[in-house]
Amino acid sequence: MRRVYFDHSATTPVRPEVAEEMQKYLTENFGNPTSLHYFGRQVRKAVEEAREKVAASIGAKPDEIVFNSGGTESDNMAIHGVAMVNKNRGNHIITSAVEHHAVLNTVKALGKQGFTITILPVDKYGMVSVDDLANAITDKTILISIMHANNEVGTIQPIKELAALAREKGIIFHTDAVQSMGKIPVNVDDLGVDLLTISGHKIYGPKGVGALYIRKGTRWRQTLFHGGAQERLRRAGTENVPGIIGLGRACELAVENLEKESAYLTRLRDKLIKSVLDNIPHTRLTGHPTMRLPNHASFCFEFIEGESMLLSLDMKGIAASSGSACTSGSLEPSHVLLSMGIPHELAHGSIRITLGRDNTEEDIDYFMEVMPPIVERLRAMSPLDQENEFVAESSCAACKVSSSCHR
């Protein structure tokens, strides 16, 4: 069976160059980087070189990078670290309705600890308004956390404008750049952010490793782990050396190949979007039509459920998703889609196609070969589709016009 992987926002394969770099730190260079002897010093040097690579990839300084276990920990570190050390200055935190649960659930947890939370609405494309943010800021606001690009619909947020507003008001700004890193330019000075989250397994690096950028001078305190003096007392625990080495190499390669791969993926994405919308009726593109990630296409198919489509696609060898991998087992529709004003029943029919560097035009062609029959079959079985047919025919009879006007 032909196998096609269309779920790169959930995770990516480790690039061969990254795996090769990591391998020797699993077997040969196995020392603990905090040890003072030769084996430890050897590994410490490699960890610091990886830190330099990560920093360079986002325009930061090496000592502004803290290694950790990935995006979720980075978001928790950023939000808790700012909230706890600044609570004497204020207790108001602002985020958006379309954030990853690593941000939303962390902020909501702080809401039970005496913090006041504002969750900004988004427009029909999933975009935050600068005016809405301006209206939400109070003299008690200490932190704003808005993601760079959405994992479910691909919309890129106006982070530069949002962060500029925060800086003008003296408010710390964090962005989750897990999905944008390696797909569009990510530079902390251009964006104007104070904290930024990166995860290795979204950029062809290993799972279980990530980094938090903390701008020098930011009032922040890590409060999740207590233990040793690793990461300059910012994150206790023995470093995941192979993962850190892999993250450094993955960031390096992501920047080197960004322009070429972005152009290639944009071409594939646009072909996919046009093919789906032209050939499968009652289908809606979700997310911003142009301000979206180059590898991201997300749709809602009327009258059917996303899970049925995913299972049918899997039987044909195609891997896709219905939204965030962290919530794919939930029976509830996506909070992102609902926040965009998409009706509950339509949100259940969502599917996300996220392309990667190894995908081809032939993969798109194969998807378009199998997808229309799947949709047609599932709609024929759906009571929602039958109800729609009944309403359409009734309307045509009432207005004495051919049913073709509704098709």
Side-chain angles (χ1 to χ4, degrees):
M1 181 189 297
R2 182 187 178 99
R3 293 285 178 186
V4 177
Y5 186 74
F6 277 163
D7 201 14
H8 291 82
S9 283
T11 196
T12 55
V14 177
R15 290 178 67 140
E17 305 96 314
V18 173
E20 182 180 357
E21 191 87 7
M22 293 173 64
Q23 181 60 40
K24 54 189 174 185
Y25 292 92
L26 291 166
T27 53
E28 301 169 28
N29 300 341
F30 55 84
N32 188 317
T34 59
S35 298
L36 298 179
H37 48 60
Y38 167 79
F39 296 94
R41 295 196 309 271
Q42 197 179 30
V43 173
R44 169 54 56 192
K45 182 174 182 293
V47 167
E48 295 311 314
E49 288 173 353
R51 197 185 310 276
E52 291 174 4
K53 291 176 182 177
V54 174
S57 72
I58 59 172
K61 300 178 181 67
D63 62 0
E64 296 175 317
I65 301 298
V66 181
F67 291 123
N68 53 42
S69 66
T72 294
E73 186 184 339
S74 275
D75 289 340
N76 275 262
M77 285 177 71
I79 295 166
H80 276 286
V82 170
M84 294 306 173
V85 81
N86 290 280
K87 59 184 178 181
N88 61 323
R89 304 171 66 192
N91 69 339
H92 184 221
I93 299 171
I94 300 174
T95 189
S96 86
V98 295
E99 298 299 307
H100 190 279
H101 280 116
V103 168
L104 276 178
N105 288 346
T106 302
V107 168
K108 289 176 181 177
L110 286 171
K112 298 176 181 177
Q113 300 176 39
F115 289 87
T116 301
I117 309 302
T118 295
I119 299 179
L120 297 175
V122 294
D123 64 15
K124 64 181 181 179
Y125 300 125
M127 190 169 286
V128 173
S129 161
V130 177
D131 289 340
D132 284 345
L133 176 60
N135 292 331
I137 291 173
T138 73
D139 59 356
K140 299 294 185 183
T141 307
I142 55 173
L143 173 66
I144 300 167
S145 181
I146 308 289
M147 68 194 335
H148 193 190
N150 187 264
N151 51 304
E152 293 194 32
V153 297
T155 296
I156 301 169
Q157 300 290 353
I159 294 300
K160 190 170 183 177
E161 292 79 5
L162 297 170
L165 178 59
R167 184 169 293 273
E168 180 185 320
K169 302 289 186 179
I171 300 166
I172 297 171
F173 194 99
H174 164 251
T175 191
D176 182 328
V178 164
Q179 293 295 338
S180 58
M181 181 65 186
K183 303 179 186 76
I184 58 176
V186 176
N187 182 285
V188 293
D189 286 336
D190 288 345
L191 294 174
V193 299
D194 301 298
L195 301 105
L196 182 141
T197 293
I198 297 171
S199 182
H201 74 109
K202 311 292 189 179
I203 55 172
Y204 303 95
K207 297 174 181 65
V209 67
L212 175 64
Y213 157 77
I214 309 169
R215 184 180 294 276
K216 194 171 183 178
T218 300
R219 285 177 57 85
W220 173 91
R221 183 184 67 193
Q222 193 279 323
T223 58
L224 297 185
F225 302 115
H226 301 282
Q230 291 90 352
E231 292 300 292
R232 298 177 176 88
L233 293 171
R234 297 176 295 184
R235 200 268 189 179
T238 302
E239 296 92 337
N240 172 10
V241 173
I244 288 170
I245 301 303
L247 175 62
R249 183 65 174 134
C251 285
E252 185 178 49
L253 291 168
V255 172
E256 287 178 6
N257 296 280
L258 180 63
E259 188 174 346
K260 178 182 176 182
E261 290 188 2
S262 177
Y264 175 70
L265 290 171
T266 299
R267 181 163 56 83
L268 287 187
R269 179 204 69 189
D270 291 347
K271 175 179 178 175
L272 173 64
I273 291 173
K274 186 176 188 307
S275 298
V276 169
L277 297 181
D278 285 352
N279 293 285
I280 305 178
H282 301 294
T283 302
R284 180 190 302 188
L285 178 70
T286 57
H288 199 282
T290 56
M291 293 297 294
R292 69 187 302 128
L293 292 172
N295 73 321
H296 202 295
S298 51
F299 308 94
C300 282
F301 296 84
E302 294 184 46
F303 319 127
I304 48 180
E305 293 186 350
E307 183 175 320
S308 300
M309 286 185 284
L310 295 181
L311 293 172
S312 297
L313 285 170
D314 187 50
M315 291 175 67
K316 294 292 185 179
I318 298 175
S321 74
S322 57
S324 170
C326 300
T327 57
S328 61
S330 173
L331 296 177
E332 292 300 312
S334 159
H335 71 284
V336 173
L337 298 180
L338 295 180
S339 298
M340 292 162 56
I342 294 175
H344 194 282
E345 63 275 10
L346 183 56
H348 267 300
S350 67
I351 191 170
R352 178 183 73 175
I353 305 295
T354 45
L355 308 169
R357 59 192 301 272
D358 294 325
N359 287 132
T360 63
E361 290 201 28
E362 289 72 25
D363 292 337
I364 306 295
D365 293 339
Y366 179 62
F367 177 81
M368 290 310 302
E369 177 186 323
V370 304
M371 189 61 179
I374 287 174
V375 172
E376 185 177 356
R377 176 176 59 82
L378 292 175
R379 282 179 176 164
M381 299 164 56
S382 171
L384 292 173
D385 192 34
Q386 292 168 14
E387 180 181 344
N388 179 73
E389 292 292 317
F390 174 76
V391 170
E393 290 172 8
S394 298
S395 300
C396 291
C399 66
K400 306 286 196 278
V401 178
S402 167
S403 63
S404 62
C405 68
H406 293 280
R407 308 293 166 149

